[in-house]
Amino acid sequence: MPRPAGTARSDSLPVARWAPPCSRVAALDPTGAGDTFCGTAIARLLAGDHPVEAARRAVAAAAEMVTMVGPAALWAPGPPPSPLPDRRVRVDPVAVQRLGRQINTLPDLDGFGFVGDLFPDVGDRGTVGWFTAATLQQYGFWYELDGGYDHPMVATIDGVPRKGSDYLWAHYMRWHRGSPTALQPAGQAAVTSAEWATAAADDSGNDPYPDSGQRVASAHAYGRSLAGIGLDADQLVAAAAGASRPLRSLLRLLDHVGGYREDPLRKKAALLAVILRQRPEGFVPAAPDDDAPPIVDYHVQRTSLRTGIVVVDDPELLGRLAGRRLLAPDEEWAVRRATFEAVAGLAEVSGRPMGAVDWFLFQMRHRCPEMSAPRCAECPADPVCAKSTDLFQPVLRTTAY
Ligand code: SF4
């Protein structure tokens, strides 16, 4: 797995550094390894990969190159080599077929429009900036205890108990109404811990987030990186909207924005892109061959494990998932990567846009929740589900989801 190798500071911005794993191969001829790495990385970047994903593929290509004499690997038959899969976790293609066909049969499955009390009014001129500042904080609404998962974050605003994601939206709407410039890049770059705590407070005056220091740091990274680019969120999205593939263009632009750029699987970037496409204003226009990648959060991973589209073959990892114990980063990555591939398969088999598939999976937070028994009789996945109901999402603190 690619793993964080620490952080460096550049122009006062925290920047994640990743170390893609190297494959152990029988090297015959090292000639061309560096050229292959660079060429593949650049080609993959131009194809739209996140830099970490481009580097993973470049490592695999360079590893193959040195197993042959001279440039022989360049004209070897078959597709370019892929990074080695993690053998502990795999996609079940039969289960993906079954669930994908089931999703295909659902008559009223449309992507959510992200309108209502929790969101800016249609036509609000601050809408793009609001969603862009808020969505980067859509992660990690749960508490840990004694090396394991304890409970999800639920807190009350305006007398209404709100779970994780909904609390964040309500918190940001209140912040937006009370201080219209606070969510602009300059406001986020300068927000203090005390200002965050006030803005984030629930009805009892407490900040319920389990990692508020990280959230302030993410707000700073967001504001300062946009200032460094010289654009605000509206200008960034407008630039993407003018491209031939607007959604993919936005993902690549967000690879430069703090709070989004750190995740090689681009969960929050993909969520933002889908939101801006599905809002009535259509900020990110639809275009051919321009669907979003899978949006893999912990609800999606839990559902993937329970439905059986993702299978864990390693007994120790299986035990930690069932026991809701903290995972090592490589274990979490193995489950998340397999889930990413399985959800891509669901979109392909179902023929539904990723926004609709994601909405189907996100609804599982109600039917197949963390803290109470699954309600299978109400679940559209029921006829095809493996019902591995003891399994739980990876437990690891990350800002990715
Ligand atoms: S609610 Fe039941 S049928 Fe639905 S995903 Fe969960 S375990 Fe499967």
Side-chain angles (χ1 to χ4, degrees), residues 1-5 18-21 52-53 56 264 329-330 333 336-337:
M1 61 158 284
R3 53 193 161 75
W18 292 75
V52 171
E53 288 297 285
R56 289 177 72 241
D330 63 305
W333 179 258
R336 183 153 52 121
R337 162 67 62 181

Side-chain angles (χ1 to χ4, degrees), residues 279-367:
R279 275 281 295 194
E281 299 95 329
F283 295 111
V284 175
D289 193 23
D290 193 39
D291 200 2
I295 304 169
V296 178
D297 66 5
Y298 40 76
H299 299 299
V300 172
Q301 291 181 79
R302 185 176 69 253
T303 300
S304 296
L305 290 164
R306 289 181 176 178
T307 56
I309 62 173
V310 170
V311 177
V312 179
D313 291 322
D314 180 271
E316 291 186 7
L317 177 53
L318 205 56
R320 279 192 283 283
L321 288 164
R324 306 186 174 202
R325 308 308 299 164
L326 274 178
L327 299 191
D330 63 305
E331 294 174 322
E332 182 270 347
W333 179 258
V335 177
R336 183 153 52 121
R337 162 67 62 181
T339 304
F340 185 91
E341 291 170 9
V343 173
L346 290 182
E348 187 178 336
V349 173
S350 69
R352 296 297 181 94
M354 191 57 73
V357 172
D358 180 67
W359 186 238
F360 169 82
L361 294 168
F362 189 65
Q363 291 301 305
M364 294 301 182
R365 74 197 196 284
H366 299 307
R367 302 175 190 120

